[in-house]
Amino acid sequence: MDKILGRLSQLVAGRRSKWITLAVWILLAGGLSAVWPSVNSMERNNAANLDANQPSVIAEQLAEQEFPSDSGIPALTVWTREGGLTDEDYTRLQELTSYFTANPLEGMELVLPLEQMPLPALKQQASEDGTTWVLPFFFAKGAETDVMKTGMEEIRSQAETIFEKDPFDAKLGDQGLVARVSGPAGISIDAVGLFSSADVSLMIATVLIVLILLLLIYRSPILAIIPLIAVGFAYGVAGPILGKMAEQGWITVDSQAISIMTVLLFGAGTDYCLFLISHFRQLLTEEKEKSKALAAAVKGSSGAIAMSGFTVVIALLVLLLAQYGSVQRFGVPFSLSILIMGIASLTLVPALLAILGRASFFPFIPRTPEMQTERAKRRGKPNRHPKSKASAGWIGRTVTKRPWTIFIVTTLLLGVLASQATRIEYTVDLLSSFPEDTPSREGFAVIADKFTPGELAPVKLMVDTEGKDIDLQGTFSSLPYVSQVSTPADGKTNPDIRAVELQLNVNPYSNEAMKHIPELRQTAESLLADEGIGEPENKVWISGQTATQYDTENTNARDTKVIIPIVIGLIALLLLVYLRSIVAMVYLILTVVLSYFAALGIGWVVLHDLMGNAAIQGLIPLYAFVFLVALGEDYNIFLISSIWKKRKVMPLKDAIREGVNETGNVITSAGLILAGTFAVLATLPIQVLVQFGIIAAVGVLLDTFLVRPFLVPAITMLLGKAAFWPSKEGRLGQKSVEDTAK
């Protein structure tokens, strides 16, 4: 392996090969972008998240078969006026529906003919206080979000013409007429709009934060640009490949996955670049010839970079085992982008460093002592000796001098922080992740206040009565959490199947509503059993948004139970192969898992106690685990790799001290940049990204400033030679030290 890594720099960063390497990357990025579609153009934001075997999906299919409706996907336009709607308001609403009845929109299935209804009949359907009326527009089932968005924009434009001002632009609480769009169509439009608007701002903010941090840490404008160039090329290659895969139907991509992929590329990609650049800069102070310094830097860091990158790729590929579509769609984009970024770090970055040489670090150019002396003599100035770094090694000295103290303090601190994770409340309510001033969320708030909250998303319950007269309406009307039950309807092809629509008296998107789904099923099954109908558990179907979220919660729980153990097992296996030490593998895994739970605990304190979030999205723990455990092991790998190499030529205590000091600055820099890129997510208007960004940033900072510099080396110090068991290299290393001493 050393020979292979030693030749790598010659292959990609030689006198001529450096230009060839750069040319290959330019041709790859430019050529693929020219012939294959961009990944952004292939996004599908309405892809199903639940598979066909989920109860709510089966129920939805049965509902479409037995109770077909021409209504499609409803966009609920909410019209409200403080003090009550006027006759003129109703007349203009009739004009609005009359216009679209005569001029149907693309993708629109149905418009209620309000113009055919007398004014008194319209008023009867308003809220009890007469201030609010809900007018649905129905889009075709399966309509793309962009089609619905275009349709609603035309409705808004026509409303502005009819009402002589834009009621959708008015603020809630104003004296005039106010309109909002909610319901499934409105929520879908807002979700896609929020993610789409986040893409550009996320990219700009991420580039700026990485650039600023690099400038502050390394004070070199050229050096700050090199990682960004590498990330740009990696994105330029990964994007078309993912776009082509999506075009062929091999994968499905959505805007959420691409947004987080961008952050991951800049954060983790910059880290990989820095591990090589930092090593190169150190060697330039010892070696006059830049080519030899670069070759040694590539040889010394490539193994750790490749191992850490491979660890992240494997961990992210495990997401393909998820049943929930939103999680599964992360697997290929994330793993492929990190794989390409790892290749760029080992090929493109060395080529750029070979081209620029010492100028990469301008104006603080690293030179050997001899070069410094010659330069000072040539300029007629006194030779300045480098500043002493004695104070910089205090962490290494402290860890090796008081390992028990460090171990107890850090473990207790992480344990206390992790205990806060037991307080976390979770939700799968998409609407709650929107900003409070999002139109669909404001519209829902009006409906919940003026009508019944369950009216926004009723529950459809279907049972196979086997021809028996069963009182569905009376039974479910008596339930305390049901506000209204529709008249039972008979199935189109099987009249024995009867259905009712239930309006809950609680938010149909809430955890409270989801808890009622098994209760509704149990009530229906008991009702069938009392009537002597056999196997009632196979003759009850429940569909609707609440049932979908209930299945979503169960699917998330299943994915968490499956994916987390597999990720831990694979990373443990990779560590075992790389380090050949069972003991090291165990404590490296345990420390990162502990910091993960501590990150969840701190995240909950910030999000709940400080920011007022009632719950966090149910997918966050799984997202955070895969990222933090995989990326956290990166830092452990770089630290332990340094210790492992040094212990072959010096006592273990010295190897730990030197390893901590040698990797301290670069890992701290990398951690700050990675945490900064995740923190950018917290600036977006989407709560799920805010929550993920905060927890991921906190976890990276814990790994950077607590686990890597203190806990891991303290454990290694306490274990001594046992840390390498069953590897024989510890004994061989100690023997080589003794032989050298002789």
Side-chain angles (χ1 to χ4, degrees):
M1 180 60 69
D2 287 343
K3 291 181 180 179
I4 294 174
L5 295 177
R7 288 187 55 83
L8 180 61
S9 64
Q10 298 176 10
L11 293 174
V12 301
R15 181 176 300 177
R16 294 189 180 90
S17 60
K18 60 187 177 183
W19 297 106
I20 296 175
T21 301
L22 179 59
V24 168
W25 276 97
I26 292 174
L27 289 174
L28 270 177
L32 292 179
S33 298
V35 299
W36 286 351
S38 69
V39 65
N40 302 91
S41 67
M42 302 304 299
E43 291 176 357
R44 280 186 55 204
N45 292 305
N46 62 344
N49 285 322
L50 295 176
D51 62 42
N53 297 320
Q54 293 299 321
S56 62
V57 178
I58 295 173
E60 188 65 36
Q61 293 172 345
L62 179 65
E64 291 179 3
Q65 173 186 318
E66 296 294 338
F67 308 94
S69 171
D70 295 330
S71 56
I73 304 173
L76 303 181
T77 58
V78 184
W79 307 82
T80 184
R81 180 190 289 272
E82 292 290 330
L85 295 169
T86 65
D87 290 351
E88 186 179 9
D89 292 334
Y90 287 112
T91 301
R92 289 179 172 178
L93 285 176
Q94 289 175 320
E95 290 180 34
L96 184 66
T97 58
S98 176
Y99 176 84
F100 287 107
T101 300
N103 303 278
L105 294 169
E106 178 188 356
M108 186 166 286
E109 286 280 314
L110 177 66
V111 180
L112 294 184
L114 299 191
E115 67 277 6
Q116 299 178 15
M117 300 175 64
L119 194 59
L122 288 178
K123 291 183 176 181
Q124 288 180 358
Q125 297 181 28
S127 60
E128 289 186 8
D129 60 6
T131 62
T132 307
W133 213 91
V134 178
L135 171 59
F137 291 89
F138 296 94
F139 290 90
K141 292 178 180 177
E144 290 288 338
T145 304
D146 289 343
V147 173
M148 294 189 289
K149 180 181 179 182
T150 301
M152 289 312 305
E153 288 174 349
E154 293 188 36
I155 291 172
R156 177 173 180 171
S157 176
Q158 188 61 30
E160 184 176 5
T161 300
I162 293 174
F163 288 93
E164 299 178 353
K165 64 178 182 178
D166 186 1
F168 292 91
D169 192 46
K171 294 182 179 180
L172 288 176
D174 288 353
Q175 292 301 312
L177 183 67
V178 180
R180 292 292 185 269
V181 184
S182 193
I187 293 172
S188 178
I189 291 170
D190 284 342
V192 174
L194 286 170
F195 279 110
S196 298
S197 63
D199 281 346
V200 176
S201 59
L202 181 63
M203 177 73 78
I204 294 173
T206 304
V207 171
L208 286 177
I209 193 68
V210 171
L211 185 59
I212 291 171
L213 287 174
L214 285 172
L215 287 172
L216 290 175
I217 294 170
Y218 291 100
R219 298 173 294 169
S220 170
I222 299 176
L223 180 62
I225 294 174
I226 290 176
L228 296 181
I229 292 174
V231 172
F233 273 103
Y235 186 87
V237 171
I241 294 176
L242 292 172
K244 185 63 175 179
M245 295 174 73
E247 183 183 52
Q248 295 295 316
W250 301 337
I251 63 171
T252 301
V253 294
D254 55 32
S255 54
Q256 181 180 358
I258 302 307
S259 295
I260 300 179
M261 184 191 81
T262 303
V263 172
L264 183 63
L265 262 179
F266 276 96
T270 303
D271 282 4
Y272 298 152
C273 295
L274 290 185
F275 290 129
L276 173 61
I277 291 171
S278 178
H279 199 182
F280 179 47
R281 184 175 67 169
Q282 174 61 34
L283 290 172
L284 286 176
T285 64
E286 304 169 5
E287 173 59 54
K288 184 175 182 179
E289 294 186 29
K290 67 174 185 180
S291 58
K292 291 183 179 180
L294 183 58
V298 172
K299 181 179 179 180
S301 58
S302 293
I305 291 174
M307 176 62 189
S308 59
F310 190 59
T311 300
V312 177
V313 169
I314 292 297
L316 294 174
L317 277 176
V318 178
L319 294 176
L320 291 175
L321 300 177
Q323 288 186 352
Y324 193 67
S326 182
V327 177
Q328 188 186 65
R329 287 192 288 272
F330 281 5
V332 173
F334 290 2
S335 56
L336 178 65
S337 60
I338 287 297
L339 176 63
I340 294 175
M341 187 65 238
I343 296 172
S345 301
L346 297 175
T347 57
L348 178 59
V349 174
L352 293 174
L353 292 175
I355 292 171
L356 296 170
R358 282 183 163 84
S360 306
F361 304 94
F362 176 85
F364 301 98
I365 297 176
R367 299 179 176 89
T368 64
E370 294 78 13
M371 293 174 67
Q372 289 280 30
T373 302
E374 291 177 7
R375 182 169 180 267
K377 183 178 180 180
R378 191 167 56 250
R379 299 174 64 184
K381 295 183 178 181
N383 185 26
R384 293 185 301 173
H385 296 283
K387 295 180 180 179
S388 174
K389 297 184 179 180
S391 60
W394 71 270
I395 295 179
R397 292 196 305 273
T398 303
V399 167
T400 53
K401 188 176 181 180
R402 297 183 176 86
W404 274 112
T405 302
I406 296 295
F407 171 73
I408 293 172
V409 171
T410 53
T411 303
L412 284 177
L413 178 58
L414 290 172
V416 170
L417 296 175
S419 68
Q420 296 300 304
T422 60
R423 302 168 48 216
I424 297 178
E425 296 289 338
Y426 298 103
T427 181
V428 292
D429 176 9
L430 176 64
L431 199 60
S432 67
S433 71
F434 294 173
E436 293 184 358
D437 60 353
T438 305
S440 58
R441 186 167 180 178
E442 287 189 332
F444 170 75
V446 174
I447 293 175
D449 181 45
K450 301 298 182 179
F451 297 92
T452 302
E455 188 172 335
L456 182 66
V459 175
K460 194 178 193 72
L461 186 141
M462 298 163 284
V463 298
D464 186 351
T465 63
E466 294 187 352
K468 296 184 178 181
D469 185 17
I470 297 178
D471 185 14
L472 293 175
Q473 192 171 24
T475 299
F476 290 101
S477 295
S478 64
L479 297 177
Y481 48 84
V482 176
S483 63
Q484 186 175 333
V485 182
S486 68
T487 302
D490 296 335
K492 180 180 179 180
T493 62
N494 184 356
D496 289 347
I497 296 179
R498 309 195 76 196
V500 291
E501 285 198 346
L502 315 175
Q503 290 185 16
L504 306 180
N505 56 17
V506 295
N507 180 351
Y509 294 88
S510 66
N511 288 342
E512 182 182 359
M514 285 191 298
K515 292 177 182 178
H516 294 316
I517 294 298
E519 297 175 18
L520 289 172
R521 182 176 295 279
Q522 180 60 45
T523 300
E525 291 176 359
S526 298
L527 183 61
L528 295 180
D530 291 342
E531 294 293 335
I533 297 176
E535 299 183 0
E537 65 276 3
N538 297 323
K539 296 178 179 179
V540 177
W541 302 270
I542 303 176
S543 66
Q545 185 61 37
T546 309
T548 298
Q549 290 193 179
Y550 177 76
D551 288 344
T552 296
E553 186 176 54
N554 291 335
T555 302
N556 289 343
R558 175 265 174 199
D559 289 345
T560 300
K561 292 178 182 178
V562 170
I563 290 175
I564 286 180
I566 293 177
V567 169
I568 291 176
L570 288 175
I571 291 179
L573 181 61
L574 290 173
L575 287 173
L576 185 60
V577 170
Y578 183 64
L579 300 174
R580 288 176 289 179
S581 168
I582 295 176
V583 175
M585 175 265 290
V586 170
Y587 73 76
L588 290 181
I589 290 288
L590 290 178
T591 54
V592 173
V593 170
L594 179 59
S595 71
Y596 158 74
F597 283 108
L600 282 183
I602 298 179
W604 179 247
V605 171
V606 173
L607 293 167
H608 176 68
D609 298 330
L610 300 181
M611 298 176 62
N613 286 259
I616 65 174
Q617 289 293 311
L619 292 172
I620 297 298
L622 181 57
Y623 288 167
F625 179 85
V626 173
F627 279 94
L628 290 180
V629 170
L631 295 173
E633 286 300 353
D634 277 6
Y635 299 158
N636 279 342
I637 287 171
F638 278 97
L639 170 64
I640 291 299
S641 294
S642 178
I643 295 175
W644 253 232
K645 290 176 182 178
K646 293 181 180 301
R647 70 164 167 45
K648 296 180 180 180
V649 296
M650 63 180 66
L652 178 60
K653 182 177 181 179
D654 295 336
I656 293 173
R657 183 174 61 250
E658 292 296 323
V660 170
N661 295 338
E662 179 183 77
T663 61
N665 289 337
V666 63
I667 292 180
T668 299
S669 304
L672 285 173
I673 291 171
L674 185 59
T677 54
F678 279 124
V680 170
L681 294 173
T683 66
L684 300 177
I686 308 166
Q687 282 300 306
V688 64
L689 294 183
V690 171
Q691 294 166 0
F692 172 69
I694 289 175
I695 291 174
V698 167
V700 171
L701 291 176
L702 285 176
D703 282 332
T704 302
F705 293 103
L706 200 62
V707 175
R708 189 278 311 168
F710 293 104
L711 183 57
V712 169
I715 295 175
T716 307
M717 185 69 193
L718 291 172
L719 291 173
K721 293 182 180 180
F724 311 121
W725 187 85
S727 171
K728 296 180 179 180
E729 291 187 8
R731 293 194 294 273
L732 292 174
Q734 186 61 37
K735 184 178 179 181
S736 67
V737 172
E738 294 170 356
D739 291 342
T740 301
K742 291 179 181 179

